[in-house]
Amino acid sequence: MGEKILVVDDSGIVRNLHSFMLKSAGFEVTEAVNGYEALEKILSTQFDLIIADINMPKMDGFALCKEIRANENYKDTPIIIVSTESEAEDKMKGFKAGANLYLVKPVNAEDLIENSKMLLKG
């Protein structure tokens, strides 16, 4: 495979877990601890998929999605939001911000990998 995925979450445990799941499926994974760090990384590397949390310091996942969509190189790049926020209102806000998929934590490896593959096939 080798597709490049950016995992954005302020929790080191969650970042490591999601990275491990994705790397075990053959993806190349880069991590960012918040939205600002994620934006810095997308300016220097072209990622094929972005997985982001919502509740993060400095810049939340909704704002990050909007910023990513405003970047010409990323307007069609799939974004998965993975959050503990499970209300329909949160999901709608995520889709309006530009997310392609909204998963509720905890996410099992099979769901994360299969959904990632599905979005990457376009």
Side-chain angles (χ1 to χ4, degrees):
M1 259 180 226
E3 288 101 342
K4 293 181 182 179
I5 299 177
L6 178 62
V7 173
V8 189
D9 199 303
D10 59 317
S11 166
I13 293 169
V14 173
R15 267 194 331 274
N16 290 336
L17 179 63
H18 290 171
S19 291
F20 176 77
M21 292 174 181
L22 294 162
K23 285 177 183 175
S24 71
F27 295 108
E28 186 180 321
V29 181
T30 300
E31 298 178 12
V33 299
N34 61 49
Y36 287 120
E37 185 179 331
L39 290 176
E40 285 177 14
K41 291 187 179 199
I42 70 168
L43 291 175
S44 62
T45 304
Q46 184 66 42
F47 293 98
D48 302 302
L49 173 69
I50 298 163
I51 298 174
D53 184 23
I54 289 189
N55 297 316
M56 297 182 290
K58 299 182 183 177
M59 177 186 286
D60 70 18
F62 298 129
L64 175 60
C65 281
K66 289 177 185 172
E67 289 290 328
I68 291 168
R69 290 294 179 232
N71 182 318
E72 187 62 29
N73 293 329
Y74 281 92
K75 64 181 171 67
D76 297 321
T77 301
I79 300 171
I80 300 175
I81 288 179
V82 180
S83 178
T84 55
E85 305 299 330
S86 60
E87 298 296 319
E89 181 181 320
D90 295 308
K91 293 178 183 179
M92 284 308 302
K93 195 172 175 184
F95 291 124
K96 285 181 181 174
N100 298 79
L101 190 63
Y102 192 111
L103 301 175
V104 177
K105 291 178 185 174
V107 177
N108 68 46
E110 188 176 306
D111 285 345
L112 187 63
I113 292 165
E114 289 306 312
N115 282 298
S116 296
K117 287 178 180 177
M118 174 194 68
L119 287 171
L120 287 165
K121 286 182 181 159

